[in-house]
Structures are given as structure tokens and as C-alpha cells.
Amino acid sequence: MTERKSPALSAERKKQLKKVGKLFWSGFKLFLVFAIIIGFFAGGAVTGYVASLVNGMPTPSQQEIREQVNAGWQVGFAYFDDNTEIGQLRAEENRRTVTLDEISPYLIDAFIATEDRDFFNHPGVNFTAAVRAVKQNVQAGTIVSGFSTITQQLARNTFLTHQQSMERKVREVFLALRMERALTKEEILTAYLNKIYFGRDANGSNIYGVEAASTAFFGIESTDLNLAQAAIIAGLPQNPHGHNLYRNLDSAISRQQRVLNYMLINNFITQSEYAEALEYNIEENLVRPQLRAYSKYPFLMMDIEDRAAEALVESGLYDNRNDAHYAILSSGVHIYTTIQPEMQTIVDSIISNPENFRANIDYNHPITGELIEDALQEVGVTVLDPKTGAIWAMGGGRDFNRSQTNHTRVTRQPGSSIKTLAVFAPAIEKKILMPGTIIDDVPFVRPDPSSRTGEYFPQNWDRKFHGLTTARVALQWSYNIPALKVFEQLSPQVGMGYVEQLGINTITNGDRHQLASAIGGMERGVTVEEMTGAYATFANKGVHNQPYMIRKITDINGNVIYEHQLDPTPVFSEQTTYIVNDMLRTVVRSGTGGRVGSMFGSRDIVGKTGTTNETRDSWFLGYTPDIAAGVFIGYDIPTPMPSSEGSRSTIIFNLVMKDIIEKFPERFPASSRFQEPDNIVRAYISTKSGKLATQESQEAGWSMTDIFVRGTEPIEYCDVVVKAEYVEVDGKKYLPSPYTPADQIKTGYFIKRPVPYELPDNNSIYRPLDADLELPTEIDPLHSPDLMPPVLPSGLRISEHSPSSVTLRWPPSTDPDLQGYILERSNSAMGVFTPVHDGILTSTSFVDQLVSDTVTYYYRLKAIDDQDRESAPSNVVSIRPGVNPPSVPTNPTITESPLGITISWDKNSSVDKIFRYKIYRANSESGPFEFIGATPDSRYTDVSAEVTGLYWYYVTAENDSGESARSRTLTLVKPDTTPPEQQPENGNEDNGSTGNNGNNGSNGNNNNIEEPEQSETTPND
């Protein structure tokens, strides 16, 4: 086919047309009155009526005409992140405006030949056609023929209705003449081709304008139409419904042939072009019904509309969302989103699969009691880029036809998922706690006037109290009581303030003043999208980016009218962020989110679960360094679900994250890790005190290595875990009395709870799980206290030693029932002591010749009476045979500090090879002195000293050969108290008791036991 171009008007021809138009206008009224009187009616009254119509008609200005002919719905489009088309926006009219040079010349010629072959020669009204129409109507006796030009049709489509009446025809002619004076022929033709109606497409949409028609019927732009396609499109406006290409194709083809004939007769095409066009198979090339964007992505498309309207209001282009929303649908905008097509397909396929959800149920409305039948378990999913907040995919719900609620943007109660944001992260940032900080999970009761009982008495999801618990374990198993205690210390205002900084916009004043907010008891709740964005902050080193979907919006001409600007907001330090990530890693590896950890193996993925009362809502928020996702599960009208459904959110999370990661292995490599920042340190701590682990903590299995922000790590040793002897009577532990038989005494590890607790109503069912680990306070009830055991031996000392022998001496006992002594030895201070001789000693000395100069020995003495009752053991002395003990610590001093009483001294010479100093305390100068602690440093603070008490202290040094003699005794002078004169000790070799040696050891056992995945509940929904 030959290339054709639209006709162009010469400057001279345009001048002629303007002149003709003026002349025609001056005589038009007379002609019109004459034509109407002759052709349609009779009588002078009609003449006056027509004249009145013309004289009273408003005259639109040139600017008004331009605005009106270009007005009308313009279809808009939405695009994926890669700029491929998601689909067309909803519109009352499917119209796409193009310029004349973007339209196929065949189509222009087809319209000229069919609708108005004298278009470029008349001034808006074709006089010849008008006379012909008058003649035909006179002959018929009624209106059977019109004489509308393209200009008249444009005037009618722009300003008038399609009602056949004299009034409308008069106005149409008048406006056509006015339009020809205001616009060029090219402008009129362009407006006409963009405005004319073509009927419905394969999907039933109303099509306006040649560009929309070309795309709707043949899937191509109007500039690419061939002759056959152009002819059939040009024939449709005469009867859009009668010539519908999908219902009345034969009629449409018949009309096409008439159009081609007009084009041939008027020399727009050649005979060969005519014949070739007739051979073209229209039916084979028609666009078939397709799944439209609103059918394929209903939740996404509606969300795009809403967000685009919000964006235009926020940018100040519109005052309200209604006006902005109308503009989005009617003005031909192009909306560019952050949605990744492959990720969106993955999310849609997973949430549309009923096998991934609980079967539909019937239940009663919780308020009205109305039966709700065949209810869907709903879902909301948000997937986003943690570095920018760009939403990569969204799942608004399972079936748009059943529920149009976008579950990513409606509020629901978050359950325990809020704990990370409102409690633990802010507390770490404020250095109130670290992962190893101990929180006592015991009954927690606070006044609550709004409660029926007048009290707020929350419980954990498992209805148990777990006692002394690290913050890490509390978050790992999502315990409520530790979270509430920390939230109270932090204050709800501070905690919820951080939640708001993380982009949660639904916080109320009530949320800021109630403890229940810490465990998800909020007035309005939160959205999946905002929660996902909040958790993504921890994947982005503590910097928050508000989630967004709209990248930019352009108008119909491609001008940018909105463009999203990132606004990164630092909320937490990198150190806080890293510690939170490490704690959430524990959640998915061995806590409530264990299903996630088991799915992804060694990949660095972290997250937090959340469920509400009776599992009405199930949440999981998780992320890697490169991608974040959030999932909500529940019913539109909340109703309890089986507890097993608490893990449904992790199931959906796993499916979504797994498929996305496998689809994009290079974007989300398994090797990606959360990088540790500066100023993170580690300490080996007791899991019962949070302080440095002692040997007792290690031996009991209550120790672990944990991380701290530098400066917050503990410097004191555990004073909660103790090793002690006990006796069991009827299943209950007691402290042995001095006369409990030795064979009944056992040794175990206990805790000394720092702060006592009260049981509500004194009910033992509220006892914490570690209650049986508390150091007994009651004495063995089975042995009478009036049966006195032998007096405790004292003064055991080492008088001489050599590489092959050790000589020990002690003062004689004054006990009248004394039978003798038993000298015991051990290879460690905390080890098992056994006798070093046979029988009972009756002398007050003993030479131990079964020794080696490579071992340090520990000795103690017991007295035994004539009833074979043993005394408690004496002080312990130690020696490495043949090696001299260390020298006495010198220059001891004592001062009062804010934390207690501090004792300082000079360090021994390095020759002594001291591994620790031991501190002893007494309540009087004469004793008895008790071992209270040890340190490798030359300074020790007694934090357990009472403020008003009076104490005496001394220090010894210890190396492999044993313990030195004690330093001089110290006491602190208190106001109004005269201390006794301080004298240096006489240098006796009484080494005192070894007590707790305070060694750290190298490794301990983490007392966290991996459990199967659980759900947690909050007492306030």
C-alpha cells in the first residue's frame, strides 16, 4: 500500500475560508429561517421562534471552545517498577488522546470520505448538503435526513445532546460556525477523532477516540492501522452498537465495505488497495477478551488508585482525596509504582491457593450473634525493600469478589509483635537493658480502676511464670511479664514514642498511657504495611524509610506532577539495631518463630511472631539484610482460631520469602549477613544474675556468652547462684542442721533471688518455675536442735611443708564430748574432700606424706564426738608443697562509694603470680570473718553492705601455692560512730575460708532449651 498523508491547508485557502465564513454567517439566520419554514414547518410563529433561538443563544469564547473540545475522560495507566504496564485505570470512557500526525492517514481519509468529504472546503456547515436534506425532508413530510459535517458532529458531541429536534439543530449549526472561527481545521479534526464514540470492546468497556479504538480492537496504536482496519473503525460511529465487532461483525464488515467504496470513489485509495483491503480477515485479527488489570490485580489496582490520590493531595495539587481520585481516573495520568511483577505474581499465587489456609468456617458475630457463613481466613502481605521502603509486592486479600478490604492497610491488634518496637529496642537504645539483663518473670499486679477486679493482672501465653529470665529469652519465647516490667520502667510514653518514629500512625493518647500497649493491647491497632516498614528499620541499620508504592505520576503529556522523595530517618543506633537483630535471630532459631529458622537454615533471617487473645490474629514480621516481609492472618470480623493457627502467618511468610529468594538468588544471596558495628563487646555471664559468671554459675549450667554495647557489660561477678548443701525431707529441700547426718546431705546449686515477690491471694499456683531453685531458708526438721554437734574446729594451719610432705596443726577442741578429729583433703577448693588418714585422729597435728610438689592441696578439719556426730568443717587452708605462699597484700584502704563500701590495696609483685584476691567481712572486729567475694583486680566494692551498718574487712592474696596471710583489718568510720583502733594483724597463718573463688572459666552451658514453636497470647486484645 502507498503511504498517505492528511491534507494540509494553504495559507491562501485558510484566508478564503475565513472570508466565506463571515459572509456565510451574515446570511445564515435568513437562510436557516427560510429552510426551516420551507422544509419542516409552516407559519410565521415558527420564524419568530427560530430567530429567538439564535438571538438568545450563549456565544462561547475561543478559549472556552478549546477547553471544551479537549475535555473528557482520558484513560490512565499504572506501571510496574520496570516500567512495564500493569494495566489501565478505571474510567467511564476509555479514551487516549493523540495528535493528528500520530493517526494513520488511512483512518483520516476514511473519516473524511465517509463523514464529510468537503470538510476542508466548507466553513463548518455544508450548504449543499443542507439544501439536499431540506428537499428530502419536504418530500418525506418528516425529518429523514440530516446534513451534519464533522464540525457539527464535534459541536454536538461537545456542547449538546443527541436528541433530534429543531432547537438542537439550530444550536448545532450555530456552534459549528462559531467553532470554525475559533479553531483550525486540523484542530477540529484532531478533537473529533479523539472524542467520537466507537461502542464497546471485547471486555465491554466503552471506547472513545481512535487511539483507544485501535488498541481495543486490534491491539496496536492508531498510527499503525492498515487500510482494512482503518475502514472498519471509521464505519463504527454511524451505529456503534449495531456494528459491534464482537456481536455484529457481519454488519460491521458490510459498513467497512461502504467506507472503502467512499474512499475509492473520492480517490483516497486505488483500485488495488481497495481489493487488498477487502481480502483482509478482520475476525482473525481482532483482540480477544483479556483478563484486565482490575481482574488480575484487583487489590493492587485499587490500592494504586488510593495511593495516587493521597500523593496528589500531599503534594498540594488537590485539597481533598475525592477530587484527587477523580483526577486520577479521568485525566489520563501515568502512575509508576515500585511493584516488582515477579514478586507480585508469587504473592498472588500463594494467597489465592486455598490449600495454604484453614478451611472456610461458620461462626456467630461476636456482638450481634448473627451467623456468618463460609467465612474466609483472610491474609495481608507486604514485601518491601528495607533500604528504601519501596513496596515490592502486596497481598490485600484472598478473594476480591468476597471482600474488598485491603488487609495490608487496615488496622488489627498486633499481639506480641509490638514488643520489639515498643519495649526491647527502646530499652536497649536507652541502655536500660541488654540481652543478658535479668528480668524476674513473677506475678505482676497493678491497680486498674477500669477492671472488674480493680487490678491489672496479666499473664504469659502459657499461663506460667518463669522466674529469673534474660531479656533474650523473654523475647525468644515472647513472655508478657518481662515486657511489661521493662515497659513500665521505660514508660509507655517513651516506648510508644519510638513506635511512632518507626512510622506507625495509629497510636492514640490512650496507647501512650497504658501498660497493655507493650503486649499489643492497643485502641486502634496497626497495619501490616506499617509494621513491615517498622521492622525493616532494623535491617537498615536503624534508619527508617516510610513504605511507599508510588514512584512518580505524570500527566497525559508526560510532565511529572508527583515524585516520591526518600526521607530516611535515624531512629536507633547501629549498636541497638545489631543487638535487636541478634535477639530476633534467637526467636527464629529456637523460639516462637522456629518454623522460619528451620526453613532457611544458615541464612541470616530474623523476625518476630505475634498473636492476640484466643489467636484472633496471627502475625509474623521478618527480614534479611536485603528484603522484609510482613504477614497477618485472621477473619474480617475477628473470631478465635485454634492455637495451631498461630503459626499460619509463619507458614505464609515462609512460602512467600522462599519463592522470592529462589527467584532472585543474586539479589538475595544466602551469604548476606547483618554486619557487626563498632563498640559491640561480649561477656561470659550468669543467666540468673546477668553478672559475670562464677564457677558455680558454670557448673550449674546457668551461664552463656552474650553481647553488649561497650560500657554496659557487667564488671561484677554473680552473687545470685550459690553452691550449697541441703537435705531433702518429703520432697522439700532444707538446709542441713549442724547435726544432720553427713550421708543425708547433698550438694546442689541454688539461686538467691535479689528481690522477693508476692503471690496473689497467696496462691501457690502462681509460683515461678524456678521457685524450687531458691536457696532453702528452713532448717532440717528431722534432727533435734538440742542435739549439739561437736564444736567447729578453728585455727587449722600449715606449720611446715616440703616438696614431699605437709605438716598441719590446730588448737585442741574444748568440746567435752570430743572423740577426735578427721582431716580431709581435696585437689580443688570446691572439690570433694576426703580423709587423708584412717580412723580418727586424737592428736592436734598431722604430717601428710602423700603429696606432690606439682599439685595445690586444700585441707579442712572436722571434730567428731562420742556419738559419731561430725562438726561442720573448719576453715580451708591450701598449699603447694615446697612452694612459698604469696606475700600479704599491702596498703589496704577503705572508702565509701555510691554503690557501697570500696576496699583498695597494692597489687602483689608479679613474682607471686597472684590469680585473685579474696575479701573477708565481719560485723565486729573480733569476727567471725566470712568470705564475701574475689577479684583479680586491686579494688573491690561491697554492694551488699547496709548503709547504716558497721563492718570490718581484710584481704588475702592467692596463687597456686595457696592463700597468703591476711592484711590488716579495716573498718569505715561512720558518723557518730567511734571505730575501734585498727591494728595490723599479728601475721598468723590462718588463711581463712576459700568460699567462692569467682573463676570465669572458659565455657558454660546456655540454659536455653529449644522448644517446639508456640503461640503467645496477650490478656488485653
Side-chain angles (χ1 to χ4, degrees), residues 899-918:
L899 296 179
I901 297 175
T902 299
I903 301 96
S904 304
W905 58 90
D906 292 342
K907 277 198 170 186
N908 285 38
S909 168
S910 60
V911 174
D912 282 344
K913 296 181 180 181
I914 303 300
F915 64 83
R916 69 173 180 173
Y917 297 89
K918 300 170 67 174

Side-chain angles (χ1 to χ4, degrees), residues 391-404:
I391 297 174
W392 285 337
M394 62 82 69
R398 292 178 58 191
D399 186 344
F400 190 79
N401 293 323
R402 295 194 56 177
S403 173
Q404 288 76 52

Side-chain angles (χ1 to χ4, degrees), residues 24 26 75 260 309 566 877 925:
F24 185 88
S26 65
V75 68
L260 289 169
L566 293 180
V877 295
E925 186 177 14

Side-chain angles (χ1 to χ4, degrees), residues 763-834:
N763 194 328
S764 62
I765 65 171
Y766 301 127
R767 294 174 71 239
L769 297 181
D770 65 356
D772 289 338
L773 297 177
E774 294 182 40
L775 183 67
T777 57
E778 298 179 71
I779 304 299
D780 178 3
L782 297 184
H783 298 85
S784 174
D786 59 346
L787 297 176
M788 297 297 296
V791 176
L792 174 71
S794 62
L796 177 65
R797 63 188 179 87
I798 297 170
S799 59
E800 301 93 24
H801 64 93
S802 69
S804 60
S805 67
V806 176
T807 300
L808 299 101
R809 302 182 186 279
W810 58 92
S813 173
T814 59
D815 194 305
D817 299 320
L818 181 71
Q819 182 182 174
Y821 306 93
I822 297 176
L823 183 66
E824 297 178 335
R825 187 182 74 185
S826 175
N827 289 349
S828 69
M830 302 303 296
V832 177
F833 285 82
T834 58

